[in-house]
Amino acid sequence: MAKTQVVSVALVTGGARGIGRSIAATLAARGMGVMVADLLDTSECVEQIRASGGKAMGVCADMADPGAAKEAVLETVEAFGRLDVLINNAGMHPQGRGWPPLREMELEFWERIVRANLTSTAVSSRAALPHLDNRTGRIVNMSGGG
């Protein structure tokens, strides 16, 4: 795969929609190469960025899985030649009526929340660290609610 030349590169987790998609589009509009990583289809976000003249690629990845996170980082470096910024945006939040109260929440659901909101942040960061410059590389961790 030929490398795309850009000034700097960001990997945005949870970038297929919502805040992550807006971040990816904004970074691309400012001249950054963007890898959009998500469990969801990233093609609409990538097409939007490219239609605006930006440089973007997408990867389907569970960023809480060490192998998948490492592969997403390696695909970013292979495609763009570097990695400068990791935006840890992937996560779960209540939609519609929200989550059940803790006393009614199944343990399996709780574990999905922890995996999506916490584990993915640590795993993605660990995968990215070897590729980030010690002085200029950045990791941005996000949290939000509905």
Side-chain angles (χ1 to χ4, degrees), residues 37 42 53 60 75 86 106 110 117 122 145:
T42 62
C60 182
E75 284 187 40
L86 169 65
E106 296 291 327
W110 173 255
N117 295 347

Side-chain angles (χ1 to χ4, degrees), residues 99-112:
W99 291 339
L102 184 59
R103 75 177 117 226
E104 298 170 17
M105 190 180 293
E106 296 291 327
L107 181 59
E108 180 181 326
F109 185 71
W110 173 255
E111 289 171 342
R112 282 181 46 217

Side-chain angles (χ1 to χ4, degrees), residues 32-133:
M32 292 182 79
V34 178
M35 178 64 82
V36 180
D38 207 307
L39 288 170
L40 303 173
D41 181 10
T42 62
S43 61
E44 192 175 295
C45 177
V46 170
E47 289 170 18
Q48 172 192 349
I49 290 169
R50 289 178 178 171
S52 298
K55 299 201 180 335
M57 297 184 70
V59 61
C60 182
D62 176 355
M63 298 305 285
D65 175 89
K70 183 177 181 179
E71 184 60 31
V73 168
L74 291 175
E75 284 187 40
T76 303
V77 173
E78 181 178 314
F80 293 104
R82 60 191 297 155
L83 176 61
D84 301 290
V85 180
L86 169 65
I87 307 288
N88 278 317
N89 172 69
M92 288 177 60
H93 60 86
Q95 296 179 4
R97 292 184 8 197
W99 291 339
L102 184 59
R103 75 177 117 226
E104 298 170 17
M105 190 180 293
E106 296 291 327
L107 181 59
E108 180 181 326
F109 185 71
W110 173 255
E111 289 171 342
R112 282 181 46 217
I113 294 168
V114 170
R115 180 175 172 80
N117 295 347
L118 299 175
T119 305
S120 67
T121 298
V123 169
S124 298
S125 297
R126 285 180 59 147
L129 280 170
H131 302 277
L132 294 171
D133 183 276

Side-chain angles (χ1 to χ4, degrees), residues 2-49:
K3 292 180 185 172
T4 301
Q5 295 299 318
V6 290
V7 175
S8 57
V9 175
L11 170 58
V12 180
T13 73
R17 64 180 183 187
I19 292 170
R21 183 173 176 164
S22 294
I23 291 168
T26 299
L27 294 175
R30 296 200 171 154
M32 292 182 79
V34 178
M35 178 64 82
V36 180
D38 207 307
L39 288 170
L40 303 173
D41 181 10
T42 62
S43 61
E44 192 175 295
C45 177
V46 170
E47 289 170 18
Q48 172 192 349
I49 290 169

